[in-house]
Amino acid sequence: MTETTNKASRFEMRLTPSQKERLDQAAAIRGLSTSQWALTNLLVAADRDIQESHVLYLDDEQWNSFIKSLDEPMPTKMVELLESEPIWK
């Protein structure tokens, strides 16, 4: 996670003393500054949340309905739409 660009933005948080102490302790365990530790963990969490926002979760009933829909022929209107000339040409 090394970026070669200059760091020009700041990110600030208000913490209780006990929250700050916990972050300091976690950073010390990893041998990092609190800022380095927080940034690393925030970026991991951000990447996870972004990735999860692109995943669709279906229960068994929804999955079976989805698969059934894929196996059925497309409706006539959908076929006509796909075969029509796009309006942007």
Side-chain angles (χ1 to χ4, degrees):
M1 179 203 76
T2 48
E3 286 190 38
T4 58
T5 58
N6 291 335
K7 295 180 179 182
S9 296
R10 290 186 64 80
F11 181 80
E12 297 180 27
M13 287 188 272
R14 295 197 178 275
L15 306 169
T16 64
S18 65
Q19 290 170 328
K20 176 73 166 102
E21 186 178 319
R22 286 171 55 198
L23 296 181
D24 290 342
Q25 182 180 6
I29 290 168
R30 298 286 183 197
L32 300 170
S33 70
T34 304
S35 292
Q36 290 170 323
W37 183 90
L39 180 57
T40 299
N41 284 281
L42 282 171
L43 291 173
V44 167
D47 290 342
R48 180 200 63 231
D49 290 348
I50 291 166
Q51 177 63 32
E52 287 180 3
S53 75
H54 293 94
V55 176
L56 179 64
Y57 296 96
L58 303 174
D59 62 27
D60 289 343
E61 182 180 335
Q62 293 167 325
W63 174 255
N64 290 333
S65 176
F66 174 70
I67 294 300
K68 182 181 175 189
S69 297
L70 291 177
D71 289 339
E72 293 177 358
M74 282 194 289
T76 305
K77 290 206 178 266
M78 179 63 71
V79 173
E80 291 171 2
L81 178 64
L82 291 171
E83 292 175 346
S84 67
E85 185 72 22
I87 60 174
W88 57 85
K89 281 192 171 186

